[in-house]
Structure formats: structure tokens, C-alpha cells
Amino acid sequence: MYQSYENVTVFDHPLIQHKISMLRSKETGTNEFRKLVEEIAMLMGYEALRDLPLEDVEIETPLETCLSPMISGKKLAIVPILRAGLGMVSGILALVPTAKVGHIGLYRDHDTHEPHEYYCKLPSPIELRTIVVLDPMLATGGSAVAAVNFIKKHGGRNIKFMSIIAAPEGIERMQKEHPDVEVYCGHVDRCLNENAYICPGLGDAGDRIFGTK
Ligand code: PRP
Ligand code: URA
């Protein structure tokens, strides 16, 4: 794992890098793509959640009673941005099966690239939870910024954002508009093209996860 931007962690683990290369390939079909997104989310989540608070709990082993650490406080909330963020949910739930799951529906306008919201449902009390927003692609940053705006408007405070591939433009926008949000990503790509797609990227994440076009 290495840090090159403030509040941004980019993962350099060989397993994550290898799986991202497989994701990028246009030869990778829907079934394999979904599995890879889930696996990468789990590997990233393992590190991104290393600051979850612990408290000592009394446990009876077959030999004696001891105090042993368990995750404390209100359970984690994971909030995928629809649609593509849904692909990452099972990877995080494999790590924290008791996490609550909210949803934010946003789509990018094809011409303006501005996000439009169509759905939002968050677990309560959102203000007491660590919230991990999931979206495999951080391109212009419009969707990520809008999702975090929304969560903050509902009272969310302790927010992390996790993407598999990010563009420098998206990272900079998140840092400018939400400097308090920790951003985790698997790779920072070169740039956006004229259609605001990440290059080299992996194409349209939602279409590749759900087999649409
Ligand atoms: C994609 C992606 C992000 C957004 C990133 O979603 O999953 O949500 O674009 O772009 P941005 O950083 O420029 O906002 P899209 O709007 O294509 O919707 P979909 O997931 O329903 O396909
Ligand atoms: N959304 C995607 O799915 N891919 C991109 O490259 C940019 C936005």
C-alpha cells in the first residue's frame, strides 16, 4: 500500500494489481468480471477497515474466561452507488457480514457528465456509523462528490470512499470538496478522455458487471 495524495490510499498489493489487469482486458466476460470486482473489493476492504474501533469482550474459551477484542459501536454501513457499486457489496459483506447496506442511485448524463440522483436509502442512525461508499470508477468525481454530499446532508460523518480505478481529476475533486473523506483506490490511471471515460480504464463498469450495453 502506498500513499501519494493526502487522504488517498492507493493499493500496490500484487494480488490487487493482477486482478485489476484482468478486469481491464476486453476479453474478460461478465461472469469473471463480477468475480474480480468482488475479490478486489474484499482485498481493498481488508486494509481500508483496519481502523474499525475495537472493544474488549468477555469470552469463555473451553479452558477459561478472557477479555478478547471485538468490533465495537454501531455496525458499519456500506453504501454502493448504483449501479456499478453493487458489484463491490458482496466483497465487503464477506468481511463484515453484519454491515448495513444503503443505496444511492446516480447516473451520469451522457452529454454533460453531471450526476443525476434517482434513489437514496440509508441505514439509521447514519451519524453513528462508519460509512464506506462503493463505486468501482472515480472519473470526474461528480458522482462520488454528490453521493458524499447526500450522506452528509443525512447526518453521515465518518465516511470512506472506495473505488477500484480512479482518474487524477476525480481524486483532486474529492480532495477539494471532501477533504475529510478517506479515499481508497486500486490504481490511479492516466487521464479522462473527451467523454469523461478513464484511460486506460476498463470501459463502462456498470455495463460490464451487468452485461448490458
Ligand atoms: C459510472 C460509475 C460511477 C460514475 C463515475 O456510473 O459507476 O458512478 O460513472 O463517473 P464520475 O466520477 O464522472 O461521476 P454511471 O453513471 O455510468 O451509471 P451506472 O453505474 O448505472 O452505469
Ligand atoms: N464510468 C465508467 O463506468 N467508466 C469510466 O471510465 C468512467 C465512468
Side-chain angles (χ1 to χ4, degrees), residues 56-70:
D56 279 340
V57 173
E58 200 172 276
I59 304 275
E60 245 186 281
T61 80
L63 300 181
E64 57 181 280
T65 301
C66 67
L67 287 178
S68 195
M70 294 189 84

Side-chain angles (χ1 to χ4, degrees), residues 7 91 94 100 177 182 193 197 204:
N7 271 355
K100 307 288 184 198
E177 304 207 26
E182 292 275 349
N193 70 10
Y197 270 78
D204 187 305

